[in-house]
C-alpha cells in the first residue's frame, strides 16, 4: 500500500466525518430513512435526517458546505440524473449495503379483492400482472394512499404498512440494497479523495 492511498483514505474519512445532516426520501418508514439513520449511527454521529417528498427536494433545502448530504439508492429510478445534473454541487462520496425493511404487499382491511395497486417505481415489478399499478413517490406514500382508500393494495415497507393499519397480503422479505451518499459542496471545494470515476 502506498502513501498516496493512505492519505486519500484519510481525506475521505475526514470529509465523511463532517456530515451532520442527511436529506432523503420520506415520509417516515422508507428504506432510505432507515439507511440514513444507520449510516449516522455506524459513524457515531448525532446527526439529523430530513425527509422529503422526492429525493431531489433535498437539493432545495440543503447547505452546500460539506456538512450536508443526500442519500439515495442504487435502484432509485433517477439516480443518474441526481449524479450527472449536479456534478457542480454534489459528489458521491460513500456507499454501503444494508437490508431494506421487509417489502410487502399490503391492503385495506375493508377490502379483500385486489384490482388496484399503488407502488414506488422500484419495487413495482413485485406485483406485475396482479392488478392495475399506479406509481407513487415512495413506499411510505404508497401505504398512505392505500390507507386513504384510493387503492385496494400497495407495495410498501413492513413498518409503513403497520403504521397505516394495513393488512398483510404477502411478505417478499428484505432486499440487500446499495445506498449512495452524495455530499453537497461548493464548486470551489476540492473533490473527496477516492471518488470521481464513472461506470
Amino acid at each position: 500500500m502506498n502513501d498516496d492511498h493512505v492519505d486519500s483514505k484519510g481525506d475521505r474519512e475526514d470529509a465523511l466525518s463532517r456530515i451532520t445532516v442527511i436529506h432523503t426520501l420520506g415520509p417516515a418508514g422508507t428504506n432510505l430513512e432507515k439507511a440514513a439513520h444507520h449510516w449516522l449511527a455506524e459513524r457515531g454521529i448525532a446527526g439529523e435526517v430530513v425527509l422529503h417528498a422526492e429525493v431531489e427536494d433535498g437539493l432545495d433545502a440543503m447547505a452546500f458546505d460539506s456538512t450536508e448530504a443526500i442519500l439515495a439508492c442504487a435502484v432509485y429510478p433517477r439516480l443518474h440524473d441526481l449524479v450527472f445534473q449536479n456534478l457542480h454541487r454534489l459528489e458521491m462520496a460513500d456507499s454501503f449495503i444494508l437490508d431494506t425493511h421487509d417489502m410487502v404487499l399490503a391492503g385495506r382491511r375493508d377490502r379483500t379483492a385486489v384490482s388496484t395497486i399503488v407502488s414506488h417505481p422500484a419495487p413495482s415489478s413485485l406485483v406485475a400482472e396482479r392488478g392495475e399499478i399506479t406509481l407513487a413517490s415512495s413506499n411510505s406514500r404508497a401505504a398512505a394512499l392505500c390507507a386513504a382508500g384510493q387503492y385496494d393494495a400497495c407495495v410498501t415497507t413492513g413498518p409503513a404498512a403497520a403504521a397505516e393499519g394495513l393488512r398483510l397480503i404477502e411478505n417478499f422479505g428484505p432486499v440487500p440494497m446499495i445506498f449512495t451518499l452524495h455530499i453537497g459542496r461548493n464548486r470551489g471545494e476540492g473533490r473527496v479523495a477516492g471518488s470521481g470515476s464513472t461506470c
Side-chain angles (χ1 to χ4, degrees):
M1 184 182 308
N2 61 43
D3 290 340
D4 288 342
H5 179 75
V6 173
D7 290 344
S8 295
K9 184 176 180 182
D11 290 345
R12 179 176 170 275
E13 288 302 316
D14 182 58
L16 294 176
S17 71
R18 291 195 296 269
I19 302 298
T20 57
V21 178
I22 296 178
H23 298 265
T24 198
L25 185 63
T30 65
N31 292 312
L32 283 163
E33 180 195 27
K34 172 187 176 180
H37 285 293
H38 170 84
W39 190 89
L40 291 169
E42 284 290 296
R43 293 180 167 276
I45 298 172
E48 178 184 5
V49 176
V50 180
L51 301 177
H52 301 278
E54 301 277 351
V55 170
E56 291 84 356
D57 291 347
L59 294 168
D60 297 326
M62 70 187 293
F64 293 90
D65 61 358
S66 298
T67 67
E68 300 192 19
I70 287 182
L71 190 74
C73 71
V75 299
Y76 182 59
R78 297 192 306 273
L79 181 60
H80 60 290
D81 289 336
L82 182 70
V83 172
F84 289 104
Q85 290 179 10
N86 294 284
L87 288 176
H88 61 292
R89 59 182 180 168
L90 280 185
E91 184 164 349
M92 190 183 302
D94 200 12
S95 65
F96 58 97
I97 297 175
L98 179 70
D99 280 355
T100 66
H101 292 297
D102 281 4
M103 297 303 300
V104 303
L105 176 63
R108 292 161 40 193
R109 294 193 178 277
D110 63 345
R111 188 162 177 85
T112 55
V114 173
S115 59
T116 59
I117 303 170
V118 61
S119 174
H120 183 267
S124 62
S125 62
L126 291 172
V127 291
E129 301 178 12
R130 292 181 69 168
E132 178 186 335
I133 299 173
T134 300
L135 301 180
S137 59
S138 75
N139 295 313
S140 295
R141 179 73 179 138
L145 291 170
C146 179
Q150 295 184 37
Y151 301 93
D152 300 330
C154 61
V155 178
T156 188
T157 64
E164 295 292 349
L166 300 173
R167 66 181 176 87
L168 179 65
I169 298 172
E170 184 174 350
N171 189 338
F172 303 104
V175 179
M177 184 58 59
I178 296 174
F179 294 91
T180 58
L181 188 83
H182 309 255
I183 296 178
R185 59 182 172 80
N186 292 320
R187 183 187 295 268
E189 291 181 284
R191 297 183 64 78
V192 175
S195 64
S197 62
T198 59
C199 48

